[in-house]
Amino acid sequence: MTKYIFVTGGVVSGLGKGITAASLGRLLKARGLKVAAQKLDPYINIDPGTMSPYQHGEVYVTEDGAETDLDLGHYERFIDEDLNKYSNLTTGKVYETVLSKERRGEYLGHTVQTIPHVTEEIKRFIYAVGKKTNADVVITEIGGTTGDIESQPFLETIRQVGREVGKENSLFIHVTLVPYLRASGEHKSKPTQHSVNGLRGMGIQPDIIVLRSDEKITDEGIFKKIASFCDVKLDCVIENTTLSVLYEAPLMLEKSGFSAVVCRELGLKTKAPDLAEWEEMVGKIKGRMKSVTIALVGKYVQLHDAYLSVAEALRHAGYLLGAKIKIEWIDSETLTETTYEEILSVADGIIVPGGFGCRGVEGMILAAKYAREKGIPYFGICLGMQISVIEFSRNVLGYVDANSREFDENSAHKVIDFMAGQSDEINKGGTLRLGAYPCKIRENTTMKRCYGREFISERHRHRYEFNNAYRAETEGAGMRLSGLSPDGRLVEAVELTDRTFHVGVQFHPEFKSRPNKPHPLFVGFVSASLQE
């Protein structure tokens, strides 16, 4: 029978429940188990697709086109398993489903209530991911913090799941903050005790408590006190200290016997975890000697989580190449005709990631111009590809008003335009080109050199496309259309092939990069930047 692990958080948000869940997934996979992971988010949005990155960080996209929480990126990077639409559920999605059923009369006239109708819908979702993936273990993270009003239906649901599948098939892990008071020089366990009491009030007794702290907990009495007050076994109190290398987390947790304790509590008989590859990777990360400066030019740079997967993919390439990646977070609105050259002069390479809306676009165009004219490696992702096309059209083709319909619908030269059959009269949510699509790479291109094969599949999240009316002119002036949809209708990648690296792709390669398997385009970009 599938085993169910539930990860909750207490005291404050942002403790790293996602990293704890992802690390456990990696450890269990290293023991030979098939692991699936999912995140239940309490906000009422259907998904994060219409939310500002300042509110939520990046939107992560799965192979099957679900727009999800950024924690799913951590799950995929650590566990190296493709997730799906059953991997992220929101309150909004639950209520949308329940209300649709009510309108169709599926509740046969019954009063629709949180219990049983909402909780049953959440349960159906939790059970579905295990069935779809045939997983040995399903790890489910509950978003928010214990005590939040909006989290209560999810906590009640996992309580019910624990009862239904039985103690031997369910496990509750609670991640809490243990603050360090510098004035008295000690860690405090009281917030954890109160958080566990709150969880107990919802009918859930945690089996394992993970203690998050910036400072290493040296007082063994803290572990004994928490074990005693919270009624858990002493070895079920696990320390999780802040690390300089994110991917060291599984190794640190395993030093406390994390996965062994989990397997014992669930009655799982497995081999010892094989972490040799992961340990070797962490060793390489710590042994990097070179460094390279990458200018990340975007409009949400004040919140680095808005570009989380891009930043991680850059670091992954650095791990392989033995280089520390210094990211210069550049607000594109600060780039003007009088400032852009000086601001960008620090960069060995320039990357322009995805985004929506016209704010900051002119600064991004200046960044693409600087890279092209100075011969600096350039990598444009989604919007960044469109920016490179607009810049090339303005400054090489001579169309000074060239633009995207998204930014100027009155432009006479909309080199980026709607996909066929689209218009402005559509809902914003869930109507993008989403998920994995194939691409055919042309010979003798940077794309082919990086990928080493003709056909690839990458994840998309966009609405506008390269305008095919400008294909001949663009290629005639020197910009190669190096990647096309297999039927040749859509332009998926453009490049200046005569450069070490000047590539724009319509898709999001960052979503498929892994710390031990960096994405080939990021490797190509960082490698070119190291040569500058």
Side-chain angles (χ1 to χ4, degrees):
M1 184 175 178
T2 300
K3 308 285 187 176
Y4 294 89
I5 298 174
F6 300 103
V7 181
T8 57
V11 185
V12 296
S13 60
L15 280 179
K17 296 192 304 295
I19 297 299
T20 300
S23 296
L24 178 58
R26 164 53 63 175
L27 293 171
L28 294 179
K29 184 176 180 180
R31 285 178 173 268
L33 297 169
K34 184 167 180 55
V35 180
Q38 63 180 185
K39 173 83 179 286
L40 308 185
D41 275 307
Y43 53 75
I44 302 178
N45 302 66
I46 301 297
D47 58 43
T50 59
M51 294 169 67
S52 166
Y54 285 132
Q55 291 279 315
H56 193 265
E58 75 172 4
V59 175
Y60 193 81
V61 178
T62 60
E63 284 284 297
D64 59 357
E67 295 177 283
T68 73
D69 180 80
L70 58 80
D71 273 327
L72 269 69
H74 290 312
Y75 301 161
E76 286 204 350
R77 285 187 285 271
F78 276 74
I79 306 172
D80 195 19
E81 296 284 346
D82 288 338
L83 303 182
N84 54 59
K85 65 181 180 181
Y86 294 108
S87 300
N88 195 200
L89 181 67
T90 69
T91 297
K93 200 175 293 182
V94 173
Y95 283 125
E96 180 187 46
T97 303
V98 169
L99 292 174
S100 295
K101 287 183 176 181
E102 185 273 334
R103 290 290 84 187
R104 293 193 298 268
E106 293 187 24
Y107 297 123
L108 303 177
H110 290 177
T111 301
V112 179
Q113 297 177 292
T114 301
I115 302 172
H117 302 104
V118 169
T119 53
E120 286 298 318
E121 194 60 40
I122 300 171
K123 271 193 280 188
R124 184 187 66 80
F125 193 89
I126 291 172
Y127 291 138
V129 70
K131 293 176 182 176
K132 182 175 177 62
T133 59
N134 196 30
D136 298 309
V137 178
V138 174
I139 301 174
T140 302
E141 176 192 350
I142 311 300
T145 306
T146 298
D148 294 345
I149 292 173
E150 56 267 32
S151 297
Q152 291 179 3
F154 293 104
L155 294 177
E156 168 58 21
T157 300
I158 65 175
R159 183 195 69 78
Q160 292 182 22
V161 171
R163 182 194 63 206
E164 290 174 3
V165 303
K167 178 69 176 173
E168 67 279 10
N169 295 311
S170 61
L171 187 79
F172 295 92
I173 299 174
H174 194 50
V175 183
T176 72
L177 176 69
V178 178
Y180 179 75
L181 299 185
R182 294 189 183 280
S184 58
E186 60 183 342
H187 286 89
K188 290 294 184 179
S189 66
K190 194 65 70 175
T192 295
Q193 296 174 43
H194 288 315
S195 182
V196 170
N197 281 339
L199 199 59
R200 283 171 166 171
M202 294 297 297
I204 297 171
Q205 166 63 44
D207 301 291
I208 296 174
I209 298 174
V210 176
L211 309 181
R212 278 289 288 114
S213 176
D214 285 333
E215 308 280 347
K216 184 168 180 59
I217 302 173
T218 57
D219 181 5
E220 288 297 319
I222 292 287
F223 297 91
K224 294 178 181 178
K225 182 184 291 187
I226 289 173
S228 176
F229 277 81
C230 299
D231 193 24
V232 299
K233 299 169 186 173
L234 182 58
D235 66 353
C236 289
V237 182
I238 307 290
E239 183 178 8
N240 185 352
T241 308
T242 301
L243 298 167
S244 59
V245 177
L246 176 67
Y247 299 105
E248 195 176 1
L251 304 180
M252 175 193 64
L253 290 167
E254 191 60 11
K255 286 179 181 178
S256 299
F258 191 29
S259 71
V261 169
V262 167
C263 289
R264 182 193 71 202
E265 295 300 303
L266 285 172
L268 287 165
K269 306 297 183 184
T270 71
K271 63 180 183 180
D274 181 3
L275 296 169
E277 180 189 1
W278 204 260
E279 289 170 342
E280 181 183 359
M281 178 192 74
V282 171
K284 287 181 178 179
I285 293 173
K286 292 184 174 182
R288 291 169 294 163
M289 301 298 292
K290 296 178 285 188
S291 66
V292 63
T293 299
I294 303 297
L296 191 154
V297 181
K299 58 199 296 184
Y300 312 116
V301 293
Q302 287 81 5
L303 180 67
H304 295 179
D305 273 359
Y307 304 110
L308 178 61
S309 291
V310 171
E312 287 303 309
L314 286 170
R315 295 182 184 114
H316 299 166
Y319 301 159
L320 179 69
L321 298 169
K324 297 177 181 178
I325 307 295
K326 181 184 179 183
I327 299 177
E328 289 288 337
W329 301 88
I330 296 177
D331 185 341
S332 59
E333 289 191 285
T334 66
L335 299 180
T336 67
E337 289 288 353
T338 58
T339 65
Y340 79 99
E341 291 193 348
E342 180 181 355
I343 292 174
L344 294 171
S345 64
V346 300
D348 298 311
I350 296 171
I351 189 166
V352 178
F356 295 91
C358 62
R359 182 175 63 83
V361 161
E362 292 302 319
M364 297 177 199
I365 293 171
L366 288 172
K369 176 184 177 182
Y370 180 87
R372 182 180 57 80
E373 292 184 343
K374 302 292 185 181
I376 302 296
Y378 175 88
F379 191 9
I381 297 174
C382 195
L383 173 61
M385 171 195 142
Q386 297 171 4
I387 291 296
S388 68
V389 172
I390 293 170
E391 187 279 324
F392 190 83
S393 300
R394 288 184 184 182
N395 299 312
V396 178
L397 298 183
Y399 299 133
V400 294
D401 72 330
N403 221 319
S404 166
R405 179 184 289 273
E406 181 181 8
F407 312 135
D408 182 8
E409 63 180 19
N410 296 317
S411 168
H413 299 93
K414 290 187 276 290
V415 293
I416 305 295
D417 210 338
F418 277 129
M419 292 187 283
Q422 281 198 325
S423 72
D424 267 326
E425 303 303 315
I426 53 176
N427 291 329
K428 298 298 183 187
T431 58
L432 305 168
R433 183 149 71 105
L434 290 164
Y437 287 87
C439 170
K440 182 178 181 181
I441 299 175
R442 298 173 69 180
E443 293 292 334
N444 302 315
T445 60
T446 303
M447 287 278 289
K448 184 64 182 292
R449 173 171 54 81
C450 289
Y451 279 100
R453 59 184 189 271
E454 183 179 8
F455 288 97
I456 61 170
S457 175
E458 294 283 3
R459 302 179 195 179
H460 292 64
R461 183 176 182 255
H462 70 279
R463 177 170 289 115
Y464 297 87
E465 301 278 358
F466 181 97
N467 188 337
N468 287 329
Y470 293 89
R471 279 194 181 191
E473 283 182 90
T474 301
E475 288 222 281
M479 177 172 272
R480 295 285 305 278
L481 310 184
S482 52
L484 303 173
S485 58
D487 62 7
R489 293 177 57 239
L490 300 175
V491 175
E492 298 281 19
V494 300
E495 65 179 62
L496 300 179
T497 309
D498 61 342
R499 311 296 177 88
T500 55
F501 198 98
H502 192 105
V503 175
V505 294
Q506 189 64 82
F507 45 81
H508 288 267
E510 68 271 23
F511 293 148
K512 298 185 78 168
S513 186
R514 306 287 182 261
N516 53 341
K517 290 187 288 186
H519 193 283
L521 285 180
F522 280 89
V523 173
F525 171 63
V526 172
S527 179
S529 300
L530 281 165
Q531 297 172 27
E532 290 303 309

